[in-house]
Amino acid sequence: KVICNHTGSNMLNGVVAAFVLGAGLNGHIKADYACIEVDEASTRYIFPQIKPDYMVMTNLFRDQLDRYGELATTKRLIQEGINKKRELKLLLNADDPLVASFEGRNKIYYGIQNVYYADESLKGKSDVEEAFNCPCGKPLEYEKKFFAQQGHYYCSCGFRRPEPKYKADVTIHREYSVIQIENESFTIPLVGLFNAYNALAAIALCKELEIKDINKHLSSFKVAFGRSEVKELNGKKTLIQLIKNPIGANEVLKTVDKDSNLLIIINDNYADGRDVSWLWDAEFEVINNNKNEIVVSGIRANDMALRLKYAGVEKIKIINDIEKAVEYIGKTADNNITILPTYTALLKLNRMRILKKCY
């Protein structure tokens, strides 16, 4: 039995609610594990209230700059939480120099050794062209770079990627990925290198906890809403992929089927982040040869249309109302549909009856 904040509500109130819902009518919690997602800025408030055994960290990317500021600020907020629990075991992504350099008494690393692509169109290019700085201030150099700042890095000062305890070779296919750790092979029904990193983090933790049948559970994994979720719209397969920051958007854009009918929905409510300047940092140029017109919707539909125009997209249709945009693409689509929404747009999609679950 596992307690989890399934809705993604990851601030203090949401974490409290997860434990309340996990308790019985008598208020006693009977569970084997609690697996809790925690907002970056909320660790310093949540950690004093619980006794976590492990903290798993995947990566740090620029996200909601109006809330967090730059990455150095985000890292400082997380480190404040870690400092409140010195006995905490940190399971860290060795390939991200920011994550690998967190301070703690008990650090365990996982990382990717090699990445292979079954289809070269999935590969894309590195998303961060500028040099990423070492903690000493010098630009990092890379033996391998997978995406953004993630890869095998080193600096003349001696700072370098730590040797992972759990290291994997990853093969990315069009509809699934394979993770090879020594003589064990794990298959996940998810696309994209970012999902392979998430799965590797989960596998590493399961191995730490000596949980068996990892592959069995990974192969039957069902996605959370909006994260590579497949639904049906007017009889057409519809893939929904959340986008909310430049690196995440870039990785999702690499997986977009160029023959699909594409709807992009951009909101700027508080939960999305008020600042949508990240649209100009994302590589929307990779979809400028999309076969069909691209429909844009949401509060900032015009901003998205302008960004696509500068990306070289020629066929753009603006429908500000989200429900009308979904109805339109459902009626006009001649093939599968891809929807890329921001967070509050995703919540609205989740309430729309026209989008049906696939079983």
Side-chain angles (χ1 to χ4, degrees):
K1 181 175 174 58
V2 181
I3 290 172
C4 193
N5 44 349
H6 294 284
T7 64
S9 183
N10 58 8
M11 296 184 187
L12 183 58
N13 288 351
V15 174
V16 170
F19 280 102
V20 170
L21 292 171
L25 293 175
N26 60 5
H28 294 152
I29 296 174
K30 292 183 179 179
D32 302 295
Y33 297 96
C35 184
I36 303 295
E37 179 191 355
V38 178
D39 172 78
E40 294 93 322
S42 297
T43 53
R44 51 186 175 162
Y45 305 120
I46 293 171
F47 277 20
Q49 312 301 325
I50 60 177
K51 294 180 179 179
D53 298 292
Y54 288 87
M55 184 175 187
V56 183
M57 278 184 272
T58 50
N59 48 57
L60 283 180
F61 299 140
R62 300 172 80 205
D63 187 26
Q64 297 192 29
L65 298 183
D66 52 324
R67 286 187 61 212
Y68 297 116
E70 285 292 347
L71 288 177
T73 303
T74 307
K75 184 180 178 184
R76 177 178 55 78
L77 292 172
I78 297 173
Q79 187 68 58
E80 285 182 26
I82 294 171
N83 292 344
K84 295 179 186 296
K85 297 290 177 181
R86 288 293 185 180
E87 70 283 3
L88 185 66
K89 292 180 181 177
L90 303 179
L91 190 57
L92 306 174
N93 179 3
D95 299 343
D96 187 325
L98 274 171
V99 170
S101 59
F102 272 105
E103 296 175 8
R105 292 177 183 170
N106 303 301
K107 296 196 286 187
I108 305 156
Y109 294 101
Y110 65 90
I112 291 176
Q113 297 299 100
N114 299 289
V115 179
Y116 307 101
Y117 292 91
D119 183 341
E120 283 297 310
S121 67
L122 295 168
K123 188 173 183 179
K125 67 183 185 66
S126 178
D127 307 294
V128 178
E129 299 303 326
E130 70 272 20
F132 198 81
N133 284 346
C134 172
C136 78
K138 297 177 185 175
L140 281 176
E141 296 185 68
Y142 282 81
E143 296 164 357
K144 297 177 184 178
K145 183 178 274 192
F146 299 133
F147 71 90
Q149 73 268 21
Q150 299 194 117
H152 296 190
Y153 49 85
Y154 63 94
C155 178
S156 58
C157 75
F159 178 76
R160 63 184 301 111
R161 172 184 182 259
E163 185 67 19
K165 179 178 179 180
Y166 303 101
K167 43 193 171 185
D169 288 343
V170 174
T171 304
I172 306 296
H173 294 263
R174 175 60 64 181
E175 294 184 349
Y176 64 95
S177 298
V178 178
I179 300 168
Q180 188 78 28
I181 303 177
E182 294 180 341
N183 60 346
E184 290 185 276
S185 181
F186 303 91
T187 300
I188 58 168
L190 298 169
V191 298
L193 184 54
F194 60 100
N195 278 320
Y197 265 113
N198 293 340
L200 177 56
I203 293 166
L205 180 61
C206 287
K207 284 183 169 292
E208 281 293 304
L209 298 174
E210 299 183 350
I211 292 173
K212 308 299 182 185
D213 298 326
I214 300 172
N215 211 12
K216 171 187 169 184
H217 299 299
L218 277 177
S219 62
S220 61
F221 175 74
K222 297 292 187 295
V223 298
F225 71 102
R227 277 77 165 181
S228 302
E229 182 183 20
V230 177
K231 288 196 173 186
E232 188 180 288
L233 177 58
N234 283 6
K236 301 175 183 74
K237 178 183 174 183
T238 302
L239 176 65
I240 304 174
Q241 296 262 52
L242 174 73
I243 58 172
K244 62 190 184 76
N245 61 49
I247 300 300
N250 284 358
E251 290 306 300
V252 166
L253 288 167
K254 289 176 187 176
T255 69
V256 170
D257 180 357
K258 302 297 190 298
D259 292 329
S260 69
N261 297 265
L262 182 57
L263 168 60
I264 305 175
I265 311 174
I266 305 296
N267 280 349
D268 65 348
N269 295 310
Y270 177 74
D272 302 295
R274 300 287 191 188
D275 182 1
V276 295
S277 63
W278 64 269
L279 296 176
W280 295 90
D281 296 323
E283 295 283 343
F284 285 99
E285 283 74 9
V286 301
I287 55 170
N288 63 13
N289 60 346
N290 212 57
K291 175 184 173 184
N292 304 294
E293 71 176 358
I294 297 177
V295 181
V296 295
S297 185
I299 299 169
R300 303 301 285 266
N302 290 349
D303 296 77
M304 187 67 249
L306 180 64
R307 175 67 187 94
L308 291 178
K309 181 177 175 62
Y310 275 88
V313 177
E314 295 181 357
K315 295 182 287 186
I316 306 168
K317 186 172 184 64
I318 302 172
I319 305 176
N320 295 86
D321 183 272
I322 295 174
E323 290 191 13
K324 290 180 180 177
V326 172
E327 289 172 5
Y328 172 83
I329 202 163
K331 290 176 181 176
T332 60
D334 60 356
N335 202 337
N336 294 338
I337 297 168
T338 301
I339 304 179
L340 308 181
T342 54
Y343 184 69
T344 62
L346 173 61
L347 295 178
K348 188 173 183 68
L349 288 175
N350 209 43
R351 294 192 294 268
M352 293 179 64
R353 293 184 180 179
I354 192 174
L355 280 161
K356 303 183 185 303
K357 289 184 178 180
C358 289
Y359 297 97

